[in-house]
Amino acid sequence: MEWIGPLFENAGGWGAFVALEGGKWFVDKDSPIEIGVGKPGVMLLPLLQKEYGGDFETQISILQQGLISTGQDPRLAFQFPFHVPVLTAYKHMPNWCDSAVNWLGDIQLTRELAMEIFDACHTQAISQSVRQATIKYINKWSKERGFQFARPQC
């Protein structure tokens, strides 16, 4: 595997290097794990914070430069699964949602992903302002596509 990055370096000094191999993205040079399978969502959470990962444009730039240096098409950077740390924050690590909400406009939503985020954001563990911003964004996104999600029964 040819590694790209790091996308960020966490507080412990671990660098989040990624690789694209056979159409799948991997993280962790020492023990490669496919992103979206197992714990990579948690490993990638710092990417959502400006102090570590910057923003979407910064990440795309790092990925494009890395893809070019490994002889791959830089447009593949837009296929990076940025939704994985965002969904991980909403479903498992609500203290990261303050950062994840800022990425909603940058990730490629599907109906299924939007529904998972919409359902997950109704927990009291997520701040009211983040819940409201999330619901507003997801409702706008779904209305543009001709449907709307119903709030889960608590």
Side-chain angles (χ1 to χ4, degrees), residues 4-144:
I4 298 168
L7 300 181
F8 65 87
E9 191 171 296
N10 72 13
W14 178 77
F17 287 87
V18 296
L20 178 61
E21 183 92 11
K24 296 178 182 178
W25 287 93
F26 295 84
V27 66
D28 195 356
K29 280 174 132 177
D30 298 328
S31 182
I33 306 168
E34 183 180 345
I35 297 173
V37 177
K39 70 177 187 173
V42 173
M43 296 169 76
L44 292 172
L45 284 171
L47 175 133
L48 303 174
Q49 291 188 317
K50 289 195 182 296
E51 312 83 71
Y52 292 101
D55 57 16
F56 180 75
E57 290 78 21
T58 301
Q59 292 301 314
I60 289 295
S61 177
I62 293 169
L63 290 167
Q64 287 178 325
Q65 291 170 15
L67 288 164
I68 290 168
S69 72
T70 60
Q72 298 180 73
D73 185 344
R75 293 176 293 186
L76 294 171
F78 291 97
Q79 294 178 10
F80 186 82
F82 290 110
H83 69 279
V84 171
V86 171
L87 186 59
T88 298
Y90 278 98
K91 290 181 81 173
H92 306 292
M93 306 288 286
N95 55 318
W96 287 86
C97 289
D98 289 355
S99 297
V101 69
N102 298 320
W103 284 75
L104 290 177
D106 297 317
I107 62 174
Q108 293 181 2
L109 286 177
T110 61
R111 188 176 188 146
E112 179 182 277
L113 179 58
M115 185 169 51
E116 284 188 77
I117 292 170
F118 183 84
D119 288 346
C121 81
H122 285 88
T123 176
Q124 296 297 314
I126 298 173
S127 74
Q128 182 178 5
S129 62
V130 170
R131 284 195 316 266
Q132 289 173 340
T134 303
I135 291 166
K136 182 179 179 181
Y137 183 85
I138 297 293
N139 282 340
K140 179 180 179 280
W141 180 88
S142 64
K143 282 180 187 176
E144 289 170 354

